[in-house]
Structure formats: structure tokens, C-alpha cells
Amino acid sequence: MSAFVFVWNPNCMSVLEYEFVEDIRTLHQNGFYEFVWSVWDAGLAREGDTAYLFKTGTLDSGICGRGVISSEVFEGEHWRYDGAPCNYVRISADYLINPSKNRYLSMIYLNRVLPEFKWSGGHSGVIMSADYEKKLDEIWNNYLEKL
């Protein structure tokens, strides 16, 4: 299995911050939450791969959730550019961090411990190296234990 980082910038994307808070409520009420997200490394994404949701574009940039890719890659209309194609996957979230209660796993920290991964800019749905995948899984689990 592989791990992917899906980027969310509420300043320019179709999902707004208040919607993210609603998604957290849905996850807590139902025990799961599934959503669709664009994937850059579409040829490498597989059902069952780990998915980290990374918020960017704000002072609190960092990992704000984790889940599992719950579908194969499929094509749809681009979320931003009318008529353009885009590759997507479904993600089943197992944890979303409520920003009013906890801080996200900070980009500053991630840049320090996993410096070769491009945390700012770039595309959404980018695969991580196997070494970074292991390290990030350990970092994430340690982070959740402290919440």
C-alpha cells in the first residue's frame, strides 16, 4: 500500500472551512465520512491506499485528516475549470481534526522532519516515498495519542 497527500486550500477550492467543520460533525455522528478529491498521481492510486488531507494557504497549514482511498480512480469534470477533465478518488476519512479544538499537524514541523517532501504548493493527490510513508504514519499516530 502507498500513502498520498491531498491538498486543500480553502482560499481557492470548492470546499470552504465551514463545510469542513460540518464534515467533522458528520464523521463523529456516523462513524465515517466519505468525500471525493482530485488526485495528481492517478496512475499510482489504488483502493486501500492511505490518504492524508493537508490544509494549505493559511497560517495553520498542516495535516488536518487521514483516511483511506475507497475507490479506484475515475474521471470527472474538473472542480475548477469548466469542461476540463480531472481524475478523482473517493476517500473514507477515519479522522478529521477540528480546528476549534486542536491544532493541525503543522507544516513547519513536517518540513523539519520530512524535508524532501514538497508540503507547500504543487498538486493534490501526490504519492509519498515508502520511507516517508512509514515516518508519517508514525508521526501521525504519535500526534493523535497526544490529542
Side-chain angles (χ1 to χ4, degrees), residues 4-83:
F4 288 77
V5 176
F6 293 86
V7 176
W8 168 45
N9 185 338
N11 298 320
C12 67
M13 296 180 83
S14 58
V15 178
L16 303 174
E17 294 219 43
Y18 78 88
E19 293 171 311
F20 182 70
V21 173
E22 288 299 316
D23 297 344
I24 293 169
R25 286 190 189 111
T26 301
L27 175 62
H28 288 288
Q29 289 172 354
N30 300 339
F32 72 95
Y33 179 71
E34 189 171 71
F35 56 95
V36 173
W37 213 265
S38 61
V39 58
W40 177 258
D41 285 330
L44 303 173
R46 300 285 178 264
E47 189 172 351
D49 286 343
T50 302
Y52 290 96
L53 185 59
F54 183 84
K55 181 183 177 193
T56 189
T58 60
L59 293 176
D60 63 345
S61 294
I63 294 178
C64 58
R66 184 181 73 176
V68 175
I69 295 176
S70 56
S71 74
E72 293 299 323
V73 176
F74 60 94
E75 189 175 291
E77 187 173 330
H78 199 282
W79 59 271
R80 191 172 187 184
Y81 304 111
D82 289 340

Side-chain angles (χ1 to χ4, degrees), residues 119-133:
W119 293 104
S120 60
H123 299 282
S124 182
V126 175
I127 194 168
M128 299 191 89
S129 71
D131 288 344
Y132 270 29
E133 175 188 351

